[in-house]
Amino acid sequence: MNDDFLFSDDEPDTAEEDVSEPYNILIVDDDEEIHTITKMALGEFKLDGRPLKFHSVYSGEDAIAFLQDNNDIAMMLLDVVMETDHAGLDVAQWVRETRKNRLIRIVLRTGQPGQAPEEDVIARYDIDDYKEKTELTYRKLVTLMYSCLRAYRDLNAIERNKRGLEKVINASAEVFSARSMEALCQGILEQLVALITLSDDAMYCRIDALTASSDTDDPFEIIGGTGEYEEAVGQPVHGEIDWGIVRPMQQSPQNVDFRIVDGNYYGLYKTSSSRQYLLFIRGVRDLSELDQNLLGLFVNNSSIAIDNLQATENEREAQRELLYSVGEAIEKHSIDEISHHVKRSAEMAGQLAIFSGATQEQAEALKQAASVYDIGKVSVQMELAQRADVLSIHEYEEIMQKVIKGHDYLRQTDSAVAKVAALIAQDIHERWNGSGFPSQKSAKAIDLNARILTITSHFDALRTQRNYRDAKESEDAAEYLLQHSGKFFDPELVGLMLDNLDAMEKIRQRFLDKKQDTHL
């Protein structure tokens, strides 16, 4: 073995503690000495401030088992001849063809070059280099590490960019929904970080400056994240942010500002709607003026898009509230209380629809339709108010037909919500076993939205206090649904309702009834 390989440099007396995430290196060789020498020679090696972390296995079979459980190996130093004359070649082929891992850098090392000629191996196997152990001096080994790890780093950046682009493409088809905008924001952030900063950890945050407390240090909400922050989306910002840097930027008269401090990027943008967006990137490399401009454009343009979407969502919310008010007016039975029965039933119906596989858009249409489908009740309530005697069966049937007439009112418009409401009005009084009216439909011939709403409406009615009876406990209301499952109600939907009863009760708690102020 060459002395240049073994004893090229003295080790430093002290070593700083590495805090950067290391590159994982897998050594596959049946010679213990090779493991020891490799670790000694590369013990102080770093790329981009990141050290190496070594893992050792001693056969091709063990290498495959290790790689099945570890997907973050940057480079593999792989012996050719181990338990068989071609064990290393088998591992390389398994990694590329079976495991489909194109990122890991594979360097074959052999002490018996005649067993696997270099030209043949290079031509047949997707490897990055082929070295004889006797020629692999310290300097050549260091050069090899630089070339392979730089390739691994850049390939990872390209892969992150591809994933980000995929999210952008998928999200762009539904760009006007809040959920897809979050995906779009996340995808753009991943591309930006991968192409410009070469950092793994970044988060994009938002705050409403009008409602934020001046004495808090973590009012920002994470709306996009990569690396360590990817799982923190939707949570408040804690820890990482140096508020001594952010606060002066917030108080600055400039709408756009950024700082790079201790290798961390802080970019702040203030919108005309009094919201602020913060882009934080940890461990950035030196940024050119172009890179800085691109980061500023991202914060600027994405925040405007999100603000526009928020305005659209506010309009939708106002429309929902108006429809709920109309629905409550139709439903109203007593001047002594303000009931949110329609709103609760609609919100629970939307959630149950999602549990059953509906999209957000379909659930939203159901919630709005649930507010107005009962429009036929208006004329009924006026007629009942003028009656003092008991209704005959014939008169009762005539009045119920007027309730169902809501279908005729609603189907006259081309509105998507009105069409959903019309089908609900037509089928809401049908029963799963065919005993309902007006058409005695049964099972899945009944409109799905009508089947959903009749369950949530009955559940909420049972849970609500009335002048003529007390509200039932959640368990008793659930028992009623269960007893009538397969009779009045779709049994599959009842099962979904009962499996998610806690979620439904949380919805009910958001819209509690309250007594009307008699002094008004």
Side-chain angles (χ1 to χ4, degrees):
M1 196 69 67
N2 194 310
D3 288 345
D4 189 27
F5 179 85
L6 289 173
F7 308 107
S8 60
D9 292 305
D10 294 331
E11 293 185 5
D13 294 333
T14 60
E16 295 181 1
E17 182 181 355
D18 291 312
V19 294
S20 299
E21 183 180 355
Y23 288 104
N24 289 295
I25 309 298
L26 178 61
I27 304 174
V28 185
D29 203 299
D30 57 0
D31 186 346
E32 178 66 45
E33 184 181 4
I34 293 296
H35 292 259
T36 302
I37 292 173
T38 303
K39 293 174 184 178
M40 287 176 56
L42 299 174
E44 300 300 319
F45 180 92
K46 288 184 180 180
L47 177 64
D48 300 329
R50 296 174 61 180
L52 305 181
K53 181 178 180 180
F54 295 99
H55 307 269
S56 292
V57 295
Y58 299 89
S59 69
E61 183 179 348
D62 290 342
I64 290 175
F66 181 88
L67 290 168
Q68 284 178 327
D69 298 326
N70 297 273
N71 295 320
D72 59 346
I73 303 300
M75 180 177 176
M76 177 166 55
L77 297 167
L78 178 61
D79 191 12
V80 175
V81 180
M82 291 178 286
E83 67 266 39
T84 66
D85 291 345
H86 49 79
L89 301 179
D90 293 340
V91 172
Q93 187 173 26
W94 178 86
V95 168
R96 300 302 194 205
E97 297 180 6
T98 303
R99 193 64 171 172
K100 305 295 184 184
N101 187 336
R102 302 296 177 185
L103 297 180
I104 184 174
R105 304 296 88 198
I106 301 176
V107 177
L108 288 179
R109 299 195 295 185
T110 182
Q112 305 174 47
Q115 292 292 109
E118 180 177 350
E119 182 177 350
D120 182 56
V121 169
I122 291 292
R124 292 180 55 191
Y125 297 91
D126 182 10
I127 62 172
D128 298 278
D129 211 334
Y130 183 98
K131 299 291 186 184
E132 296 181 26
K133 292 180 182 179
T134 55
E135 69 168 321
L136 201 55
T137 64
Y138 168 76
R139 289 181 176 82
K140 288 184 178 180
L141 183 58
V142 169
T143 301
L144 181 68
M145 299 303 293
Y146 274 118
S147 63
C148 286
L149 291 181
R150 280 172 177 160
Y152 175 79
R153 176 197 64 191
D154 295 343
L155 285 171
N156 266 283
I158 293 171
E159 187 66 22
R160 288 198 301 271
N161 181 51
K162 287 170 60 180
R163 290 197 301 266
L165 181 59
E166 182 180 10
K167 289 187 178 182
V168 171
I169 293 172
N170 289 335
S172 62
E174 301 177 54
V175 70
F176 295 109
S177 76
R179 178 167 294 185
S180 65
M181 180 57 79
E182 291 174 1
L184 187 64
C185 175
Q186 179 78 10
I188 294 173
L189 180 60
E190 288 184 1
Q191 286 191 86
L192 191 74
V193 170
L195 288 175
I196 296 178
T197 70
L198 298 180
S199 171
D200 287 326
D201 303 318
M203 58 179 165
Y204 190 41
C205 318
R206 176 176 59 185
I207 181 179
D208 189 333
L210 291 178
T211 59
S213 173
S214 59
D215 59 355
T216 181
D217 282 345
D218 53 357
F220 282 92
E221 175 192 4
I222 300 174
I223 58 176
T226 64
E228 181 179 316
Y229 307 114
E230 186 170 359
E231 300 300 322
V233 174
Q235 300 177 13
V237 176
H238 292 288
E240 292 286 342
I241 300 296
D242 185 340
W243 298 104
I245 298 170
V246 176
R247 293 302 181 207
M249 296 169 65
Q250 290 181 287
Q251 296 164 5
S252 168
Q254 298 180 9
N255 287 334
V256 182
D257 199 2
F258 78 92
R259 303 277 191 278
I260 300 177
V261 181
D262 297 330
N264 296 328
Y265 176 93
Y266 297 81
L268 187 73
Y269 178 75
K270 304 170 188 174
T271 72
S272 58
S273 58
S274 299
R275 290 192 182 87
Q276 297 177 0
Y277 292 85
L278 176 68
L279 176 61
F280 174 79
I281 307 173
R282 185 170 66 185
V284 300
R285 60 172 172 78
D286 293 336
L287 298 177
S288 67
E289 184 176 354
L290 176 60
D291 292 340
Q292 294 171 16
N293 289 337
L294 286 173
L295 290 173
L297 282 172
F298 165 76
V299 178
N300 186 349
N301 294 340
S302 59
S303 59
I304 291 173
I306 293 171
D307 264 13
N308 288 339
L309 181 71
Q310 186 66 53
T312 302
E313 181 58 31
N314 289 342
E315 291 180 6
R316 290 175 179 172
E317 182 64 29
Q319 182 183 24
R320 274 197 301 270
E321 288 300 317
L322 178 60
L323 289 175
Y324 284 152
S325 297
V326 172
E328 301 295 0
I330 294 171
E331 180 68 21
K332 189 174 180 182
H333 293 296
S334 171
I335 62 172
D336 294 329
E337 65 178 29
I338 299 175
S339 172
H340 292 308
H341 168 68
V342 170
K343 183 181 293 187
R344 290 192 299 265
S345 300
E347 291 288 335
M348 286 191 293
Q351 189 61 65
L352 184 56
I354 289 175
F355 289 146
S356 68
T359 65
Q360 283 288 144
E361 290 74 16
Q362 290 169 333
E364 182 63 30
L366 169 56
K367 286 194 289 185
Q368 294 190 33
S371 307
V372 294
Y373 82 91
D374 238 359
I375 195 170
K377 273 188 177 180
V378 174
S379 61
V380 172
Q381 288 177 347
M382 293 178 62
E383 183 169 341
L384 289 176
Q386 298 170 2
R387 293 292 299 265
D389 55 332
V390 177
L391 295 173
S392 68
I393 294 296
H394 177 68
E395 289 170 329
Y396 173 79
E397 290 177 349
E398 285 186 345
I399 287 178
M400 292 313 297
Q401 287 297 328
K402 291 181 180 179
V403 173
I404 300 166
K405 276 287 184 182
H407 168 265
D408 298 330
Y409 301 146
L410 292 163
R411 70 176 181 176
Q412 296 175 25
T413 175
D414 289 332
S415 164
V417 171
K419 289 179 179 179
V420 174
L423 292 175
I424 293 174
Q426 179 176 264
D427 286 2
I428 191 68
H429 299 289
E430 302 287 359
R431 295 292 177 258
W432 182 260
N433 62 3
S435 62
F437 62 89
S439 304
Q440 289 76 52
K441 293 181 181 179
S442 64
K444 293 188 177 181
I446 304 169
D447 178 68
L448 174 59
N449 288 324
R451 282 182 273 141
I452 291 173
L453 187 58
T454 192
I455 291 174
T456 59
S457 181
H458 272 81
F459 178 80
D460 186 75
L462 291 168
R463 294 282 288 118
T464 302
Q465 183 74 26
R466 298 298 189 198
N467 293 334
Y468 52 87
R469 63 161 175 79
D470 292 332
K472 290 184 177 294
E473 296 295 330
S474 181
E475 295 78 5
D476 295 331
E479 181 62 28
Y480 177 88
L481 295 181
L482 193 60
Q483 287 177 356
H484 295 84
S485 174
K487 299 175 183 176
F488 295 171
F489 310 122
D490 181 334
E492 184 176 348
L493 291 175
V494 168
L496 280 175
M497 180 78 175
L498 299 185
D499 287 343
N500 296 278
L501 212 54
D502 288 344
M504 299 302 176
E505 286 293 345
K506 287 180 180 178
I507 291 174
R508 293 194 74 259
Q509 291 303 311
R510 284 166 43 203
F511 307 108
L512 294 176
D513 291 341
K514 52 186 176 182
K515 293 293 182 181
Q516 189 121 288
D517 191 344
T518 56
H519 298 290
L520 294 179

